[in-house]
PDB file of all heavy atoms in Angstrom:
ATOM      1  N   GLU A 118      -7.254  -1.950  -7.164  1.00  0.00           N
ATOM      2  CA  GLU A 118      -7.952  -0.820  -7.662  1.00  0.00           C
ATOM      3  C   GLU A 118      -7.761  -0.655  -9.195  1.00  0.00           C
ATOM      4  O   GLU A 118      -8.475  -0.067  -9.874  1.00  0.00           O
ATOM      5  CB  GLU A 118      -7.316   0.486  -7.032  1.00  0.00           C
ATOM      6  CG  GLU A 118      -7.646   0.417  -5.589  1.00  0.00           C
ATOM      7  CD  GLU A 118      -7.348   1.771  -4.912  1.00  0.00           C
ATOM      8  OE1 GLU A 118      -7.569   2.908  -5.390  1.00  0.00           O
ATOM      9  OE2 GLU A 118      -7.068   1.825  -3.623  1.00  0.00           O
ATOM     10  N   LEU A 180      -7.376   5.778   5.454  1.00  0.00           N
ATOM     11  CA  LEU A 180      -8.489   5.829   6.287  1.00  0.00           C
ATOM     12  C   LEU A 180      -8.203   5.346   7.805  1.00  0.00           C
ATOM     13  O   LEU A 180      -8.619   6.109   8.671  1.00  0.00           O
ATOM     14  CB  LEU A 180      -9.643   4.937   5.658  1.00  0.00           C
ATOM     15  CG  LEU A 180     -10.898   4.781   6.655  1.00  0.00           C
ATOM     16  CD1 LEU A 180     -11.755   6.035   6.447  1.00  0.00           C
ATOM     17  CD2 LEU A 180     -11.703   3.454   6.170  1.00  0.00           C
ATOM     18  N   PRO A 195     -13.580  12.375   9.370  1.00  0.00           N
ATOM     19  CA  PRO A 195     -14.124  12.901   8.152  1.00  0.00           C
ATOM     20  C   PRO A 195     -14.615  11.651   7.307  1.00  0.00           C
ATOM     21  O   PRO A 195     -13.744  11.045   6.706  1.00  0.00           O
ATOM     22  CB  PRO A 195     -13.059  13.706   7.484  1.00  0.00           C
ATOM     23  CG  PRO A 195     -11.733  13.214   8.019  1.00  0.00           C
ATOM     24  CD  PRO A 195     -12.098  12.618   9.410  1.00  0.00           C
ATOM     25  N   TYR A 197     -16.229  10.319   4.002  1.00  0.00           N
ATOM     26  CA  TYR A 197     -16.595  10.778   2.606  1.00  0.00           C
ATOM     27  C   TYR A 197     -18.029  10.292   2.177  1.00  0.00           C
ATOM     28  O   TYR A 197     -18.141   9.172   2.331  1.00  0.00           O
ATOM     29  CB  TYR A 197     -15.631  10.269   1.539  1.00  0.00           C
ATOM     30  CG  TYR A 197     -14.135  10.735   1.699  1.00  0.00           C
ATOM     31  CD1 TYR A 197     -13.217  10.127   0.842  1.00  0.00           C
ATOM     32  CD2 TYR A 197     -13.767  11.772   2.448  1.00  0.00           C
ATOM     33  CE1 TYR A 197     -11.865  10.611   0.946  1.00  0.00           C
ATOM     34  CE2 TYR A 197     -12.550  12.235   2.514  1.00  0.00           C
ATOM     35  CZ  TYR A 197     -11.560  11.656   1.847  1.00  0.00           C
ATOM     36  OH  TYR A 197     -10.330  12.035   1.952  1.00  0.00           O
ATOM     37  N   ARG A 204     -14.593  -1.785   1.420  1.00  0.00           N
ATOM     38  CA  ARG A 204     -13.222  -2.078   1.012  1.00  0.00           C
ATOM     39  C   ARG A 204     -12.932  -3.567   1.715  1.00  0.00           C
ATOM     40  O   ARG A 204     -13.551  -4.034   2.644  1.00  0.00           O
ATOM     41  CB  ARG A 204     -12.303  -1.120   1.715  1.00  0.00           C
ATOM     42  CG  ARG A 204     -12.370   0.286   1.101  1.00  0.00           C
ATOM     43  CD  ARG A 204     -11.947   0.324  -0.273  1.00  0.00           C
ATOM     44  NE  ARG A 204     -11.888   1.617  -0.928  1.00  0.00           N
ATOM     45  CZ  ARG A 204     -12.962   2.075  -1.648  1.00  0.00           C
ATOM     46  NH1 ARG A 204     -14.104   1.296  -1.854  1.00  0.00           N
ATOM     47  NH2 ARG A 204     -12.810   3.189  -2.315  1.00  0.00           N
ATOM     48  N   ASN A 239     -17.217   1.486   5.127  1.00  0.00           N
ATOM     49  CA  ASN A 239     -16.441   2.510   5.747  1.00  0.00           C
ATOM     50  C   ASN A 239     -16.934   2.906   7.078  1.00  0.00           C
ATOM     51  O   ASN A 239     -16.130   3.070   8.075  1.00  0.00           O
ATOM     52  CB  ASN A 239     -16.103   3.716   4.837  1.00  0.00           C
ATOM     53  CG  ASN A 239     -15.276   3.444   3.693  1.00  0.00           C
ATOM     54  OD1 ASN A 239     -14.505   2.321   3.709  1.00  0.00           O
ATOM     55  ND2 ASN A 239     -15.271   4.243   2.673  1.00  0.00           N
ATOM     56  N   ARG A 263     -15.172  12.116  -2.364  1.00  0.00           N
ATOM     57  CA  ARG A 263     -14.086  12.103  -3.229  1.00  0.00           C
ATOM     58  C   ARG A 263     -14.629  12.001  -4.748  1.00  0.00           C
ATOM     59  O   ARG A 263     -15.507  11.219  -5.000  1.00  0.00           O
ATOM     60  CB  ARG A 263     -13.179  10.858  -2.918  1.00  0.00           C
ATOM     61  CG  ARG A 263     -12.153  10.640  -3.860  1.00  0.00           C
ATOM     62  CD  ARG A 263     -11.502   9.166  -3.486  1.00  0.00           C
ATOM     63  NE  ARG A 263     -10.716   9.170  -2.253  1.00  0.00           N
ATOM     64  CZ  ARG A 263     -10.150   8.128  -1.829  1.00  0.00           C
ATOM     65  NH1 ARG A 263     -10.332   6.902  -2.264  1.00  0.00           N
ATOM     66  NH2 ARG A 263      -9.364   8.137  -0.824  1.00  0.00           N
ATOM     67  N   HIS A 266     -15.269   8.451  -6.805  1.00  0.00           N
ATOM     68  CA  HIS A 266     -15.098   7.520  -5.662  1.00  0.00           C
ATOM     69  C   HIS A 266     -15.661   6.152  -6.024  1.00  0.00           C
ATOM     70  O   HIS A 266     -16.758   5.851  -6.265  1.00  0.00           O
ATOM     71  CB  HIS A 266     -15.851   8.085  -4.463  1.00  0.00           C
ATOM     72  CG  HIS A 266     -15.374   7.391  -3.138  1.00  0.00           C
ATOM     73  ND1 HIS A 266     -15.837   7.987  -1.947  1.00  0.00           N
ATOM     74  CD2 HIS A 266     -14.670   6.379  -2.865  1.00  0.00           C
ATOM     75  CE1 HIS A 266     -15.401   7.146  -0.903  1.00  0.00           C
ATOM     76  NE2 HIS A 266     -14.523   6.199  -1.491  1.00  0.00           N
ATOM     77  N   TYR A 322      -9.019  18.684   3.922  1.00  0.00           N
ATOM     78  CA  TYR A 322     -10.262  18.722   4.628  1.00  0.00           C
ATOM     79  C   TYR A 322     -10.807  20.220   5.024  1.00  0.00           C
ATOM     80  O   TYR A 322     -11.838  20.244   5.639  1.00  0.00           O
ATOM     81  CB  TYR A 322     -10.101  17.864   6.055  1.00  0.00           C
ATOM     82  CG  TYR A 322      -9.682  16.412   5.606  1.00  0.00           C
ATOM     83  CD1 TYR A 322      -8.300  15.923   5.670  1.00  0.00           C
ATOM     84  CD2 TYR A 322     -10.656  15.531   5.394  1.00  0.00           C
ATOM     85  CE1 TYR A 322      -8.035  14.705   5.383  1.00  0.00           C
ATOM     86  CE2 TYR A 322     -10.356  14.193   5.099  1.00  0.00           C
ATOM     87  CZ  TYR A 322      -9.115  13.794   4.991  1.00  0.00           C
ATOM     88  OH  TYR A 322      -8.706  12.558   4.720  1.00  0.00           O
TER      89      TYR A 322
HETATM   90  P1  TYD B 402      -8.155   5.136   1.511  1.00  0.00           P
HETATM   91  O1  TYD B 402      -7.496   4.670   2.824  1.00  0.00           O
HETATM   92  O2  TYD B 402      -7.713   6.428   1.003  1.00  0.00           O
HETATM   93  O3  TYD B 402      -7.838   3.880   0.519  1.00  0.00           O
HETATM   94  P2  TYD B 402      -8.556   3.648  -1.012  1.00  0.00           P
HETATM   95  O4  TYD B 402      -9.183   4.865  -1.497  1.00  0.00           O
HETATM   96  O5  TYD B 402      -7.240   3.428  -1.708  1.00  0.00           O
HETATM   97  O6  TYD B 402      -9.361   2.545  -0.951  1.00  0.00           O
HETATM   98  O7  TYD B 402      -9.654   5.208   1.730  1.00  0.00           O
HETATM   99  C1  TYD B 402     -10.431   3.978   2.078  1.00  0.00           C
HETATM  100  C2  TYD B 402     -11.833   4.349   1.943  1.00  0.00           C
HETATM  101  O8  TYD B 402     -12.151   5.251   2.946  1.00  0.00           O
HETATM  102  C3  TYD B 402     -12.399   4.988   0.724  1.00  0.00           C
HETATM  103  O9  TYD B 402     -13.674   4.631   0.363  1.00  0.00           O
HETATM  104  C4  TYD B 402     -12.369   6.533   1.020  1.00  0.00           C
HETATM  105  C5  TYD B 402     -12.692   6.549   2.540  1.00  0.00           C
HETATM  106  N1  TYD B 402     -12.078   7.663   3.309  1.00  0.00           N
HETATM  107  C6  TYD B 402     -12.997   8.448   4.031  1.00  0.00           C
HETATM  108  O10 TYD B 402     -14.315   8.271   4.108  1.00  0.00           O
HETATM  109  N2  TYD B 402     -12.471   9.480   4.684  1.00  0.00           N
HETATM  110  C7  TYD B 402     -11.148   9.787   4.773  1.00  0.00           C
HETATM  111  O11 TYD B 402     -10.794  10.688   5.344  1.00  0.00           O
HETATM  112  C8  TYD B 402     -10.306   8.890   3.873  1.00  0.00           C
HETATM  113  C9  TYD B 402      -8.789   9.226   3.958  1.00  0.00           C
HETATM  114  C10 TYD B 402     -10.839   7.881   3.266  1.00  0.00           C
END
Side-chain angles (χ1 to χ4, degrees):
E118 301 193 27
L180 178 76
Y197 294 167
R204 294 295 183 264
N239 287 348
R263 172 188 283 173
H266 197 169
Y322 297 98

